[in-house]
Amino acid sequence: MSDAVVEIDNVTKTYDTIVAVDSVSLRVPQGQTLGLIGPNGAGKTTLLRLIASLAKSDCGDIRVDGESVSRHPRSVRKKLGFMPAEFGSPRNLSIGEYLEYFGCMYGIPRSERPLRIKDVCELTDLSGREEVMVKGLSTGNRQRLLLAKTLLHDPQVLVLDEPASGLDPRARTELRTIVRELAAMGKTIIISSHILSDIEEISDRVGILEAGQLVLDGDLTELRSQYGATKRVVKLRVPTDKIEQAMQVVTNLEGVSSCERRDHSLVISCDEEDCNFILEAILKHGIRVLQFAEDEPDLEEIFMRSTAGKVT
Ligand SMILES: Nc1ncnc2c1ncn2[C@@H]1O[C@H](COP(=O)(O)OP(=O)(O)O)[C@@H](O)[C@H]1O
Ligand SMILES: [Mg+2]
């Protein structure tokens, strides 16, 4: 992919005996948003810090806009904005002072700072709050301020480490809207989360990290049709004393790819467009049906199932 802005080739990073990032290769095309998904400890932060040239890989290479992060870290940092997961910055300032302070740190000329600050405040919905102190900010506003800071030098690539973590549903939605706006401006974005559903809507691509390894990556629409759309999920509820029997009947049916017991129901993945054959088989065995309904295929579950066992 020649139009990739972020190119990661076979990168490994170890801490003592822990392989935090294990031979990862990944491409993010210009203007696309990549969702990097993985449970705690999967290596997301480590990978993002490597991309942002804040840590050094043991081997492999990362290029941002064609420039190697290990050989040209300064020039990469000019093109890239990194939003860390934690807000470890001075709090005894107002929003305006805070942005002024980081604008200065980033080397933005004094004369340009007011306009840049005005722009980033508009982008992150902080306009009019420049006088508010950082100290008492809600988590939502603090994340916006952290994002505003990340945008100060107008980077073309944004690397956001779990920006939605700790936010309430409303603040999450607002954050998604802002990220979508940034994507519409043509930014290339890498955003991490431990929940796929959190960033599914805003991602063009997704990469799943497990124990340092990239177990799945690709275009979300393609992955969805590959793993999701061909499968339908139905929920079947029968009397409790019949659940074992129903499970046996369903598992033996051709066209059923999985059947799992969840509480008092069976959750069945079915390869066919029309899942009524399941209902018919159950009824034929004289089992009473309390509920038979189609469920949204849970993309995350499908991904996780498809990647299960790849990491040992
Ligand atoms: N500075 C460090 N020193 C030692 N181990 C680390 C350090 N940073 C991360 N790790 C280890 O690397 C693994 C990946 O961590 P991390 O990249 O923070 O994962 P994630 O962000 O997905 O939760 C974990 O096992 C973590 O304990
Ligand atoms: Mg992390």
Side-chain angles (χ1 to χ4, degrees):
M1 216 179 298
S2 59
D3 64 342
V5 170
V6 178
E7 299 163 282
I8 302 171
D9 284 321
N10 208 17
V11 162
T12 295
K13 171 78 180 173
T14 50
Y15 293 109
D16 299 325
T17 54
I18 299 168
V19 188
V21 171
D22 190 357
S23 320
V24 168
S25 295
L26 187 64
R27 296 270 181 284
V28 190
Q30 151 75 36
Q32 295 221 337
T33 299
L34 168 86
L36 188 66
I37 317 295
N40 282 336
K44 303 180 296 295
T45 299
T46 305
L47 183 59
L48 298 185
R49 286 175 51 84
L50 290 170
I51 299 169
S53 82
L54 298 172
K56 259 184 104 139
S57 62
D58 305 342
C59 63
D61 193 27
I62 301 179
R63 283 176 309 281
V64 172
D65 195 27
E67 290 203 87
S68 158
V69 298
S70 53
R71 266 172 283 146
H72 306 286
R74 271 167 187 272
S75 110
V76 166
R77 281 179 210 162
K78 278 193 188 139
K79 300 171 193 232
L80 182 145
F82 175 67
M83 177 174 166
E86 261 130 55
F87 193 92
S89 309
R91 288 156 190 253
N92 231 349
L93 301 171
S94 69
I95 288 181
E97 288 165 345
Y98 177 93
L99 292 171
E100 179 71 32
Y101 170 80
F102 280 100
C104 176
M105 297 272 284
Y106 288 164
I108 298 168
R110 184 184 287 268
S111 60
E112 288 173 27
R113 273 179 237 155
L115 186 62
R116 283 306 307 149
I117 292 173
K118 181 171 168 285
D119 281 352
V120 298
C121 284
E122 270 170 21
L123 276 167
T124 54
D125 284 332
L126 287 172
S127 299
R129 294 192 221 186
E130 289 85 347
E131 305 295 316
V132 176
M133 295 305 284
V134 172
K135 213 174 215 156
L137 287 180
S138 66
T139 316
N141 283 333
R142 223 164 54 208
Q143 291 302 81
R144 284 196 227 171
L145 178 57
L146 209 48
L147 182 57
K149 174 193 119 175
T150 306
L151 295 170
L152 271 174
H153 59 304
D154 196 19
Q156 136 193 27
V157 178
L158 296 174
V159 175
L160 315 175
D161 194 6
E162 303 217 35
S165 128
L167 298 188
D168 61 37
R170 188 199 170 105
R172 271 167 201 257
T173 310
E174 286 167 358
L175 185 85
R176 275 203 291 265
T177 308
I178 297 173
V179 174
R180 223 183 261 124
E181 271 169 38
L182 293 166
M185 290 166 68
K187 309 271 186 208
T188 304
I189 305 172
I190 303 180
I191 179 170
S192 73
S193 172
H194 53 276
I195 336 172
L196 172 63
S197 56
D198 224 29
I199 50 177
E200 197 183 328
E201 268 179 59
I202 53 173
S203 301
D204 302 298
R205 305 180 66 78
V206 65
I208 297 183
L209 210 53
E210 263 179 51
Q213 295 182 7
L214 193 71
V215 289
L216 191 75
D217 110 88
D219 181 277
L220 196 51
T221 317
E222 281 170 23
L223 288 172
R224 207 180 259 128
S225 66
Q226 198 176 331
Y227 291 100
T230 56
K231 292 212 165 71
R232 304 198 144 233
V233 179
V234 286
K235 207 166 155 186
L236 169 71
R237 204 154 73 82
V238 297
T240 315
D241 60 333
K242 294 287 181 196
I243 201 157
E244 288 300 327
Q245 190 195 349
M247 187 147 176
Q248 218 161 36
V249 171
V250 173
T251 311
N252 287 328
L253 290 173
E254 206 178 309
V256 166
S257 54
S258 78
C259 175
E260 278 161 36
R261 187 172 172 167
R262 199 178 295 159
D263 302 325
H264 299 292
S265 304
L266 294 178
V267 177
I268 306 160
S269 290
C270 143
D271 301 325
E272 318 275 320
E273 187 71 28
D274 178 3
C275 300
N276 278 324
F277 72 95
I278 299 172
L279 186 60
E280 283 161 18
I282 290 289
L283 292 171
K284 213 168 82 191
H285 281 79
I287 303 169
R288 203 151 57 90
V289 171
L290 303 176
Q291 194 195 9
F292 185 78
E294 187 157 337
D295 231 15
E296 270 290 294
D298 181 340
L299 201 55
E300 181 139 21
E301 206 181 297
I302 293 165
F303 280 174
M304 290 309 157
R305 205 179 294 145
S306 73
T307 61
K310 282 200 191 170
V311 177
T312 47

